[in-house]
Amino acid sequence: MSDITDAAAAPRPAAAPGEVLLEVKDLKKHFPLTQGVVFKRTVGHVRAVDGVNLTLRRGETMGLVGESGCGKSTVSKMLVALEKPTSGEILYKGDDVTKMGARALKQYRREVQIIFQDPYASLNPRMTVGDIVAEGWSVHADIAPRKGRLQRTQELMERVGLNPDFVNRYPHQFSGGQRQRIGIARALALQPEIIVCDEPVSALDVSVQAQVVNLLEDLQDDFGLSYLFIAHDLSVVRHISDRVAVMYLGSVVEEGTDAQVYTSAAHPYTQALLSSVPVHEPHLRGLKERILLEGDVPSPANPPSGCRFRTRCWKAQDICATEAPALVDRGQGHPSACHFAEAKTVVPTE
């Protein structure tokens, strides 16, 4: 595959339903807004994440998409216990992560790893690549005996496509794509079951994106990994995901298999997102409807009443201002949070 967008024309086969590993229920994260220098007082809250529900099964990839600022990265940080939720539940194999003690949380962090968005900022410039990959073993020493760690590190580097002889080099001596491979090796080192991929290819060139996505798919097949793949590039998400959830202003507005979301989008926001995806086949370019949204994204500190998308939606009616639509199936075959949901093919396929 030389280009992600070309590969998106042939979505990957759906994974067989497996055991539910991770379940998110009504997850919220509100950051306080304060005033004052000496005596600070809370004057409001930024509702970065406001009632997200997700399910991740063994061996599948769940794509989470939405424009910048919708709360995707905040969700990822809560899932790996880097941020504490304001409310809601994160259930890992039935146990609530938000209520875990130190010992259980240590084990959870071993089994749920993260690949960060920025390969330049996520690696310690003062550590060698070998030390970065092996750092987790200082906490979980049972995974790799001390005497064999150099060999294990080199094996991991080779598995992600890096020269094992570069184990003593520093991050600044690698390209962006190579640094992201180092981040992948670091995540693999603890033998996790779930990897949260927080926009892992957004900072990379398109050709390098394809290589990294192919690597993630190979690793998933080899190790039975489950991914929560967060991105704003719809072509990348369609290529790698089995199911897709679409976020807008802190909430999920549509969810379904990749085929359901991409060929039968029911929520107006999802339809608008898909209409912005470039069509590469010349004979199809004039057939796609372009949906232009008016206005700006509302502030998460002061979201609209009712449906949060109503201020930009061409279908909005009085009920949209008074009643927030539930994320349910309204006859389209998959759930969407719109009172007037209507399945629609936005991007022509033939």
Side-chain angles (χ1 to χ4, degrees):
M1 183 181 70
S2 60
D3 193 304
I4 287 291
T5 53
D6 293 337
R12 65 199 301 252
E19 170 197 1
V20 174
L21 289 181
L22 195 66
E23 189 174 5
V24 175
K25 294 184 177 181
D26 198 26
L27 190 64
K28 297 181 181 181
K29 181 62 178 180
H30 298 171
F31 295 97
L33 290 173
T34 60
Q35 284 184 349
V37 177
V38 179
F39 301 102
K40 292 186 177 182
R41 59 190 182 92
T42 301
V43 296
H45 289 86
V46 174
R47 300 169 182 260
V49 177
D50 206 26
V52 166
N53 296 276
L54 294 172
T55 301
L56 181 65
R57 295 178 175 84
R58 185 181 299 278
E60 79 166 355
T61 299
M62 179 73 176
L64 187 61
V65 302
E67 57 195 316
S68 297
C70 70
K72 305 186 301 296
S73 291
T74 304
V75 169
S76 72
K77 291 176 182 177
M78 288 190 285
L79 293 186
V80 295
L82 292 178
E83 290 278 3
K84 188 175 181 180
T86 302
S87 63
E89 296 179 318
I90 302 173
L91 302 178
Y92 177 67
K93 296 181 179 179
D95 296 326
D96 191 348
V97 177
T98 64
K99 299 178 181 178
M100 285 182 175
R103 179 175 297 181
L105 193 59
K106 175 183 175 181
Q107 180 64 25
Y108 172 76
R109 283 177 164 151
R110 168 180 170 173
E111 298 184 6
V112 181
Q113 285 288 296
I114 186 170
I115 302 169
F116 292 100
Q117 174 180 355
D118 189 349
Y120 297 90
S122 60
L123 303 178
N124 189 333
R126 295 180 176 85
M127 295 175 66
T128 65
V129 168
D131 289 339
I132 289 172
V133 173
E135 185 177 17
W137 295 334
S138 62
V139 179
H140 301 279
D142 58 303
I143 297 178
R146 186 173 295 276
K147 291 183 179 180
R149 288 182 183 178
L150 176 59
Q151 181 181 349
R152 289 286 299 274
T153 300
Q154 291 178 314
E155 290 172 353
L156 281 170
M157 290 181 63
E158 188 172 13
R159 182 62 189 84
V160 299
L162 294 172
N163 189 333
D165 294 334
F166 295 166
V167 68
N168 291 319
R169 293 191 177 187
Y170 289 85
H172 73 271
Q173 297 175 285
F174 294 86
S175 67
Q178 290 173 324
R179 294 186 198 191
Q180 199 60 289
R181 290 172 186 267
I182 295 168
I184 294 172
R186 175 175 59 185
L188 284 176
L190 293 183
Q191 301 173 348
E193 290 195 278
I194 298 173
I195 297 182
V196 177
C197 306
D198 185 10
E199 303 205 34
V201 297
S202 63
L204 308 178
D205 293 337
V206 173
S207 60
V208 181
Q209 288 182 11
Q211 296 169 12
V212 172
V213 169
N214 283 340
L215 172 62
L216 290 172
E217 290 182 334
D218 291 342
L219 294 173
Q220 184 175 50
D221 293 337
D222 291 345
F223 300 112
L225 297 168
S226 301
Y227 293 141
L228 177 67
F229 193 92
I230 298 171
H232 59 262
D233 188 324
L234 296 175
S235 298
V236 175
V237 171
R238 184 179 189 186
H239 175 73
I240 196 173
S241 299
D242 302 303
R243 292 186 300 119
V244 179
V246 182
M247 281 190 70
Y248 180 81
L249 206 63
S251 300
V252 174
V253 297
E254 187 161 4
E255 182 183 343
T257 66
D258 64 333
Q260 290 171 335
V261 172
Y262 281 83
T263 64
S264 302
H267 195 281
Y269 176 65
T270 308
Q271 294 170 1
L273 279 183
L274 291 174
S275 78
S276 67
V277 177
V279 176
H280 295 273
E281 296 79 5
H283 67 286
L284 296 177
R285 288 177 183 170
L287 302 178
K288 187 179 76 168
E289 177 187 358
R290 185 71 170 94
I291 301 174
L292 298 177
L293 297 178
E294 297 181 357
D296 298 324
V297 180
S299 169
N302 186 28
S305 61
C307 175
R308 296 188 172 189
F309 185 63
R310 66 176 177 82
T311 57
R312 306 173 74 193
C313 182
W314 61 94
K315 290 185 176 182
Q317 298 185 25
D318 292 343
I319 189 176
C320 301
T322 58
E323 184 178 334
L327 184 66
V328 297
D329 184 358
R330 292 175 168 81
Q332 287 75 40
H334 62 282
S336 61
C338 177
H339 294 298
F340 306 102
E342 181 180 3
K344 185 177 184 179
T345 301
V346 178
V347 181
T349 56
E350 58 180 40

